[in-house]
Amino acid sequence: MTSAAEKLVDPKLLARLAGLGVKVRQAMEGVLTGQHKSPHHGSSVEFAQHREYAPGDEIKHIDWKAYAKSDRFHIKQFEDETNLRTYLCVDTSGSMGYRGARGTESKGRYAAQMAAVLAWLLLRQGDAVGLLTFGERLGAYVPPRARPDHYWHLARTLVDTPVGGQTDAVGALERVAEVAARRSLVVLLTDGFDFNSPGRMAAVARQLRRRNHRVVVFQILDPDEVDFPFKDLTVFEDMEVADDRALADPRGMREAYLDEIRAYCDGLKRDLLEGDVGYRRVVTSTPLDRTIIDALGGRA
Amino acid sequence: MSFFAPLMLLGLLAAAIPPIIHLIHRRKAQVVRFPALEFIRRSNKKTARTFRLRQLLLMLLRSLLLAGLAFAVARPFIDRGAATTAALGGMQGVTVFVVDATWPMAYRVDGDETLYDRARFQVGTLLARLSGPAALVIAHDRAEVVVESPTQDFEALRKALEQRTPGHRVGSLGEAVARAYDLLGEVPEGVARRVVVLTTPAGVASALPPPPAGSNIERVPVDVAEGAPLPNRAVLDVALRPAPELGAGQWRVDARVANYSAEPAQKLPVHLEVEGKVLVRGFVDLAPGAEATKTFYARLEDRAEPAKAAVVIEGDALPGDDRRVFWLQPAPRIKVLAVNGDPHPTPFRDELFYFERAVAPRTAADARVQLTIVDSDTFDRHSPADFDVVLLANVPAVSPEQARRLEAFVRGGGGLWITMGDKVQREGLNAALAALLPRSLRDVRQAGDAAATAEGGDRRTARLSLFDRAHPILRPFPDPAAGSLARAEVRRYMLLDPSPDAGGEVVLGLDEGAPYLLTRAVDEGRVALLTGSLDRDWGDLAIRPAYVPLVQQVLRYLTRVAEVDTTPVLVGRPAPLPVEDPRVRRVQVKTPDGTLHTVDKPREPEAPWVFAATGAPGHYAVSPDPPLPGLTALPGFAVALDPTGSDLRGPDVAAPATAEAGADVRAALAGGRRTELWHGALLALFALLLGEAVLLYRRRAQRADAFDGLAQA
């Protein structure tokens, strides 16, 4: 546990979000000990931990021995009983390092904070959470675990992963497809600017969906990318490819720029939604808790 | 194409400013690391061409705008004379140009172009058509021969004209024409000779000297205005007169304003300014060609030294005569000689006890009365001529000699105030002052009922009940019938001759019908007669609050009103300096432009002090050099333009008598008329501005928030 990991997300924000739960629409594989209904019954083998009883839990899963000792209701959880297995895929490419004047954080930091909050919420309700970072190549991979202290492992990994290189979201999703044997929730946090393989990201996401994984893509954008507020003649420098520059007069091409980015984002959204892949666009000027509340109240 | 102000063409360099600004901005382009570079690159491909085209167009428009502005300010025109010159085959012989550069030539005919500028251009036009030599005489403040003998070096003539501007005098045109004849006198016989006089319409109509008898010199007066009307309004002169009846220090300023045009001037603004600040504003209506007098009343507030003043009318095309300057002097003191006919060792029983206090500086600072009191015996020692007002207070009688002097004094403009009392011998006064008294004195009357008794409570006094409110003496009293004046009680008074044809104006009258205060004008002077006493012997007016203003008003009314010599010193004429103090050996004169001149005392004892360098109109301040104890400044003087130059109108007949003689000159000038292009240039500028506005508007419209939907997705 490092101080940097502690500072990734404000504890007060976590406290405000404590009442939220992560629900997935379709039935998840796993024992019905949590909030997610499992198609498999009675296949538990290895005790994992006790969890405090919460309204909605089956009474038959209450550990009466533990109740006799502690006078509290606890539910026994086993390794395979985890309701939900979630893979958080966080984009750490160079473009995620951008932070405009109005953004609360850089896009990469904002994505890391979102991932941390989602992990904390999922772990808190007994779900397993894994992490995969990716830039030009695949980065750190943390296998899913359901232990509460697993949060710190994830947070440390998020903090320690540097940003840089080009975006390879396709590689990250293919990696998840390899490691996720059971039906899982795959959360992709990226700006979606993968110009090397346009359209492939949505295709792989749809493939995952066809294999009964639930996939949600959060496209994280800075306000500057959304409304392009520049005015004076400017040399724009790429954040992922060195020495890639373009001189532009923003006043003259703003309209065309807005058309371009709108077309790109709308196309991505359309491709994902057509494959029943969740999609949400997030602007970093929005407070994090607002983003999380909106996301959980909506699709995820 | 030519230009009135070719130097302004330097402004064409400003056309380079927009490209320079563009290049500077390009060099200073900031570097921004941005994630969505791919979109920028794609957008650039789409928009770069049209955007660059629009930017180029905008830059071009702005460059053209600046260049067009410089072009318009340079005032271009097309000289249509080239074809005419060819047709005429040039003007043969020797020509002397006489160019009027007197102050009326500063008249602005078109924007900033003066008549002199136009004359300069016309000379240039004629020089371009001359086949022979030419000379130039300029009628400036004096006639100046620029080139002694006719020459082909026309550039020297052009330069000489460019170096001059209209002067401050008039009247040198005739002399200049005479000098031109002299120059042509040396030209051999048989060669065509002409004098071309370029002047105002009034100059054309003036009596220019004819060519010498027997000479074949052709005189061609040219109306520089080319027949265009030159309306002008002017302040011709200003007359000053003290107006003590309105209070101390009050001046009446009569400004004569003229309208030299065919159009009436309705509500022409005219104002009086003192030390640069507008003191009084007014308007004057002037019929075409008429004059009117506008009267102002002004007063110097808390000021002991003279102030610079001017009457100014609304500016017109000839600004030189729109203001007339003068010095406004502080008010002189009213010098009063009071003859006390009933002096008394007990102060409050003295005849003049109350009067003296009523005009004392503490109570009458506004009146500025300088009082000299004598008794009847010492009256002869003083000359009334040294005073503004003489007061005969309860004086028994005056000798024939005194009466003669008093009559001469009054007829010369002095004021005489006669008040009654027990000492007055009416037969003596009636006889001696018959020519001055408003009415002859008859008898002393006890006011009230003759049979009244104190025990019976009967009325034994009279009151003032008749007030001539239109009389200047009562002007300061808002409602004399309701004030303390009406409450004064009169116990005794002098009855006057009641005949219907009796003279004098009754200012105050008693409720018994008898007059109490009368005035009368005798030639230049005035006489006032109070049928009561100045002290409390015959009534209690002296202890009423209204007594003080009444006494002061009577003195102001009677004060000798002398016309102040406001004859202006015209530019170039010597100005007499009013130096009376024998201690002064040298004076310093400060001209309107701040230049200091010194004038030494004339060597001859009786010779007047004179200052000659009156080259410009304005205020000239005079001070002793060095300053003397009690004398730091002397009365200044004002120098004005000669108002005869204000009327620029020519004769009603358009063509002058010598029209046939100068046919070639007129034809050349007619061909040389300019077509000014700056109007069109301004129109083009407006179109350019409109174009720029359209381009900017389109760009702004495109910059609307077209991607709002994305942020909310």
Side-chain angles (χ1 to χ4, degrees), chain A residues 95 98 193 195 225-226 228 230-231 233-239 244 247-249 252-258 260-262 264 281, chain B residues 25-26 29-44 46-47 51 55 699 702-707 710-711 713:
Chain A
S95 63
Y98 185 78
F193 295 161
F195 301 112
E225 294 170 306
V226 173
F228 205 59
F230 306 99
K231 288 179 180 171
L233 195 70
T234 308
V235 175
F236 290 99
E237 196 174 71
D238 197 280
M239 297 183 74
D244 190 6
L247 176 68
D249 189 332
M253 44 77 70
R254 180 170 181 263
E255 189 188 14
Y257 169 88
L258 295 179
E260 284 290 334
I261 194 168
R262 184 198 298 115
Y264 182 85
R281 194 175 293 144
Chain B
H25 276 198
R26 190 184 174 88
Q30 55 176 337
V31 179
V32 172
R33 298 190 74 220
F34 195 65
L37 187 68
E38 181 63 21
F39 301 125
I40 292 175
R41 195 172 283 118
R42 290 179 194 171
S43 311
N44 257 349
K46 280 185 187 173
T47 61
F51 180 71
Q55 285 291 91
R699 203 170 69 181
Q702 287 164 355
R703 285 171 58 193
D705 290 328
F707 199 36
L710 179 61

Side-chain angles (χ1 to χ4, degrees), chain B residues 534-658:
Chain B
L534 271 182
D535 60 1
R536 295 181 63 191
D537 288 351
W538 284 14
D540 66 357
L541 179 64
I543 60 170
R544 298 287 173 181
Y547 179 78
V548 174
L550 181 68
V551 165
Q552 292 175 8
Q553 276 302 102
V554 172
L555 290 180
R556 284 177 190 144
Y557 176 73
L558 294 175
T559 297
R560 177 202 302 266
V561 178
E563 289 288 338
V564 177
D565 182 14
T566 53
T567 309
V569 177
L570 299 181
V571 172
R573 307 273 176 80
L577 300 177
V579 183
E580 294 175 353
D581 195 317
R583 297 175 296 166
V584 180
R585 300 274 174 198
R586 174 188 289 175
V587 298
Q588 201 169 50
V589 180
K590 190 176 181 182
T591 61
D593 63 358
T595 311
L596 293 174
H597 297 261
T598 53
V599 179
D600 291 321
K601 187 177 185 178
R603 293 188 176 178
E604 293 77 19
E606 296 301 319
W609 288 72
V610 171
F611 177 71
T614 55
H619 294 96
Y620 287 68
V622 184
S623 56
D625 183 25
L628 298 170
L631 186 68
T632 55
L634 293 164
F637 60 92
V639 174
L641 295 171
D642 190 340
T644 57
S646 295
D647 187 359
L648 288 88
R649 296 171 299 173
D652 292 337
V653 183
T658 53

Side-chain angles (χ1 to χ4, degrees), chain B residues 6-19:
Chain B
L7 274 180
M8 291 295 169
L9 288 177
L10 286 174
L12 288 175
L13 295 174
I17 290 175

Side-chain angles (χ1 to χ4, degrees), chain B residues 119-407:
Chain B
R120 197 156 49 88
F121 170 80
Q122 289 173 345
V123 170
T125 303
L126 293 171
L127 284 175
R129 289 151 182 74
L130 278 187
S131 298
L136 174 66
V137 182
I138 298 178
H140 203 252
D141 287 345
R142 56 186 176 78
E144 298 175 14
V145 179
V146 175
V147 179
E148 292 291 341
S149 58
T151 175
Q152 293 280 4
D153 179 15
F154 297 160
E155 196 52 38
L157 273 59
R158 290 194 186 95
K159 270 189 180 172
L161 283 171
E162 278 179 16
Q163 286 167 357
R164 280 165 180 77
T165 54
H168 296 299
R169 301 192 202 176
V170 290
S172 57
L173 188 62
E175 183 193 351
V177 173
R179 299 289 294 275
Y181 295 148
D182 294 345
L183 288 178
L184 288 174
E186 298 166 6
V187 175
E189 293 288 333
V191 178
R193 294 178 290 179
R194 72 172 67 80
V195 173
V196 180
V197 185
L198 297 107
T199 180
T200 61
V204 170
S206 65
L208 295 174
S215 70
N216 62 342
I217 296 175
E218 186 183 30
R219 190 189 67 185
V220 186
V222 174
D223 172 9
V224 176
E226 298 169 346
L230 301 177
N232 183 37
R233 296 181 289 264
V235 186
L236 297 180
D237 58 43
V238 171
L240 278 177
R241 189 175 70 83
E245 68 274 16
L246 296 180
Q250 287 283 2
W251 290 92
R252 174 181 168 140
V253 182
D254 292 320
R256 199 155 58 91
V257 185
N259 176 22
Y260 298 122
S261 73
E263 299 295 326
Q266 301 288 343
K267 304 281 182 200
L268 176 70
V270 51
H271 68 257
L272 171 68
E273 66 177 39
V274 175
E275 292 293 336
K277 292 180 182 174
V278 176
L279 201 65
V280 193
R281 290 183 194 277
F283 300 93
V284 64
D285 291 333
L286 288 165
E291 294 179 6
T293 299
K294 178 67 184 175
T295 300
F296 296 101
Y297 289 96
R299 168 184 175 164
L300 287 182
E301 300 285 351
D302 304 325
R303 194 180 172 97
E305 63 275 8
K308 292 176 180 174
V311 173
V312 185
I313 59 169
E314 188 183 48
D316 54 22
L318 186 57
D321 57 8
D322 292 342
R323 64 185 289 125
R324 194 79 172 181
V325 301
F326 58 94
W327 288 93
L328 199 58
Q329 304 289 342
R333 288 176 173 274
I334 301 173
K335 290 182 276 189
V336 178
L337 176 66
V339 184
N340 191 347
D342 186 17
H344 199 283
T346 308
F348 66 87
R349 288 186 178 165
D350 189 272
E351 183 69 25
L352 293 178
F353 174 78
Y354 298 99
F355 175 83
E356 194 176 350
R357 273 139 195 85
V359 299
R362 184 177 295 177
T363 53
D366 192 45
R368 297 169 64 89
V369 175
Q370 183 180 325
L371 182 62
T372 304
I373 299 176
V374 296
D375 55 31
S376 303
D377 299 334
T378 56
F379 181 29
D380 287 336
R381 296 179 192 167
H382 295 82
S383 168
D386 296 335
F387 299 87
D388 297 310
V389 179
V390 173
L391 168 65
L392 301 180
N394 200 7
V395 174
V398 291
S399 66
E401 173 58 21
Q402 289 169 339
R404 190 190 58 76
R405 285 165 55 192
L406 278 174
E407 185 177 339

Side-chain angles (χ1 to χ4, degrees), chain A residues 139-154:
Chain A
Y141 172 65
V142 180
R145 291 283 185 276
R147 289 194 300 273
D149 61 351
H150 188 54
Y151 170 78
W152 299 112
H153 189 192
L154 296 172

Side-chain angles (χ1 to χ4, degrees), chain A residues 88-285:
Chain A
L88 298 170
C89 302
V90 179
D91 185 355
T92 58
S93 65
S95 63
M96 296 296 282
Y98 185 78
R99 180 184 178 182
R102 290 166 295 163
T104 55
E105 295 286 355
S106 71
K107 293 195 294 181
R109 176 93 177 165
Y110 198 88
Q113 288 177 336
M114 275 189 74
V117 171
L118 287 172
W120 184 78
L121 289 172
L122 288 162
L123 289 169
R124 196 164 171 273
Q125 63 187 31
D127 296 327
V129 181
L131 173 68
L132 177 64
T133 62
F134 64 94
E136 194 166 354
R137 286 187 294 273
L138 293 180
Y141 172 65
V142 180
R145 291 283 185 276
R147 289 194 300 273
D149 61 351
H150 188 54
Y151 170 78
W152 299 112
H153 189 192
L154 296 172
R156 193 162 50 244
T157 306
L158 285 167
V159 168
D160 291 345
T161 306
V163 294
Q166 292 180 282
T167 307
D168 185 16
V170 174
L173 291 176
E174 285 172 344
R175 171 69 174 151
V176 169
E178 290 170 8
V179 297
R182 297 191 311 161
R183 285 188 286 184
S184 306
L185 170 64
V186 181
V187 177
L188 180 61
L189 299 154
T190 178
D191 57 9
F193 295 161
D194 187 357
F195 301 112
N196 292 328
S197 49
R200 281 278 294 149
M201 186 179 79
V204 177
R206 287 204 301 268
Q207 280 178 9
L208 277 174
R209 181 68 192 99
R210 282 197 291 274
R211 291 168 62 181
N212 282 331
H213 294 295
R214 178 63 187 164
V215 184
V216 177
V217 176
F218 287 97
Q219 188 182 17
I220 299 169
L221 297 174
D222 190 88
D224 287 359
E225 294 170 306
V226 173
D227 59 10
F228 205 59
F230 306 99
K231 288 179 180 171
D232 298 324
L233 195 70
T234 308
V235 175
F236 290 99
E237 196 174 71
D238 197 280
M239 297 183 74
E240 296 186 354
V241 181
D243 297 331
D244 190 6
R245 295 178 166 197
L247 176 68
D249 189 332
R251 287 173 300 184
M253 44 77 70
R254 180 170 181 263
E255 189 188 14
Y257 169 88
L258 295 179
D259 286 343
E260 284 290 334
I261 194 168
R262 184 198 298 115
Y264 182 85
C265 294
D266 288 350
L268 179 64
K269 180 181 178 181
R270 188 176 56 250
D271 289 349
L272 292 172
L273 293 181
E274 281 175 359
D276 196 23
V277 175
Y279 172 84
R280 177 164 289 273
R281 194 175 293 144
V282 174
V283 181
T284 57
S285 57

